């Protein structure tokens, strides 16, 4: 839905959509590739949280505690994302500030410091590591009658516009997880 909407005429970015599977090894391979191949200024991951009742802006990614198996039955050795790396990495985007400024009728947006120690958090930590804090994670609830794809797409558009404003660099590249979207500068920018 966000791919159809784009980020608006005022935002000088090119939007691309990618999908990452709920697979630790594949997520690690692809996230590493995104940072090495595209060298984005900002990556935004979007993951579904089946228990969520609101859109959740995650401030930090955790390095340890990955005990649940992915769709292939795999989990990181020792439950660690990157051995020898810090326990917590923070996003350079102030999610609390974005959360305070975002208003989308019919959608609650909240702030969190615990992304849940599953593939979303793992992917986020990797992105924060490779991007030196230039990443974000948005957890979304499942689609429903109260949150159809069209409303979720509009909400994500508003949130990402605020994130771009928060970091003050409208030429950002961004990327979404699970149903992932990458934003790249338009040609000539």
């Amino acid at each position: 839905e966000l791919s159809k909407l784009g980020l608006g005429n005022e935002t000088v970015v090119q939007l691309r959509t990618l999908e990452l599977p709920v697979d630790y090894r594949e997520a690690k391979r692809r996230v590493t590739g995104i940072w090495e191949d595209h060298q984005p200024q900002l990556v935004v991951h979007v993951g579904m949280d089946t228990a969520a009742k609101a859109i959740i802006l995650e401030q930090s990614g955790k390095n340890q505690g990955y005990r649940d198996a992915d769709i292939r039955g795999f989990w990181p050795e020792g439950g660690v994302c990157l051995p020898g790396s810090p326990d917590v990495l923070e996003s350079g985007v102030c999610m609390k500030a974005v959360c305070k400024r975002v208003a989308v009728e019919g959608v609650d947006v909240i702030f969190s410091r615990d992304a849940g120690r599953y593939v979303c958090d793992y992917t986020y930590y990797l992105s924060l590591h490779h991007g030196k804090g230039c990443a974000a994670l948005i957890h979304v609830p499942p689609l429903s009658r109260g949150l159809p794809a069209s409303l979720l797409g509009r909400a994500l558009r508003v949130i990402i516009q605020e994130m771009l404003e928060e970091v003050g660099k409208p030429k950002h590249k961004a990327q979404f997880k699970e149903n992932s979207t990458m934003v790249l500068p338009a040609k000539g920018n």
Side-chain angles (χ1 to χ4, degrees), residues 35 40-44 93 134-136 163-164 167 172-175 183:
W35 284 101
Q41 294 174 352
L42 177 68
V43 171
V44 179
V93 177
C134 295
M163 286 179 176
L164 291 170
V167 295
H172 271 23
K173 300 177 185 177
Q175 170 132 345
V183 180

Side-chain angles (χ1 to χ4, degrees), residues 134-148:
C134 295
L137 172 59
I138 303 169
H139 265 129
V140 297
L143 295 177
S144 65
R145 273 189 292 177
L147 184 64

Side-chain angles (χ1 to χ4, degrees), residues 35-182:
W35 284 101
E36 289 175 356
D37 298 343
H38 299 287
Q39 299 158 357
Q41 294 174 352
L42 177 68
V43 171
V44 179
H45 302 276
V46 177
M48 188 179 65
D49 179 347
T50 57
K53 303 292 185 223
I55 293 175
I56 306 165
L57 306 184
E58 304 288 357
Q59 186 63 56
S60 53
K62 307 295 186 298
N63 191 28
Q64 299 181 40
Y66 297 96
R67 307 263 183 255
D68 293 327
D70 63 18
I71 61 170
R72 306 226 189 289
F74 174 84
W75 63 91
E77 187 176 334
V80 177
C81 183
L82 294 171
S85 292
D87 287 342
V88 177
L89 292 177
E90 299 284 329
S91 176
V93 177
C94 181
M95 299 301 177
K96 195 175 275 188
V98 171
C99 194
K100 286 179 183 177
R101 288 195 312 265
V102 167
V104 179
E105 189 175 339
V107 180
D108 291 328
V109 180
I110 62 174
F111 167 82
S112 167
R113 290 189 159 282
D114 187 354
R117 308 301 194 304
Y118 193 49
V119 179
C120 290
D121 196 357
Y122 181 85
T123 301
Y124 188 30
Y125 186 89
L126 286 169
S127 224
L128 288 166
H129 172 79
H130 288 293
K132 298 174 180 48
C134 295
L137 172 59
I138 303 169
H139 265 129
V140 297
L143 295 177
S144 65
R145 273 189 292 177
L147 184 64
S150 58
L151 180 55
L152 179 58
R154 286 194 311 272
L156 289 172
R157 179 182 182 179
V158 169
I159 291 165
I160 293 164
Q161 287 170 333
E162 284 296 327
M163 286 179 176
L164 291 170
E165 192 170 307
E166 170 66 21
V167 295
K169 298 175 185 168
K171 297 179 198 169
H172 271 23
K173 300 177 185 177
Q175 170 132 345
F176 295 89
K177 197 226 161 273
E178 280 186 292
N179 287 317
S180 299
T181 302
M182 185 183 315

Side-chain angles (χ1 to χ4, degrees), residues 2-4 15-19 176 179-183:
L2 183 60
S3 293
K4 289 187 231 171
L15 193 63
R16 291 188 189 172
T17 302
L18 303 172
E19 185 173 335
F176 295 89
N179 287 317
S180 299
T181 302
M182 185 183 315
V183 180

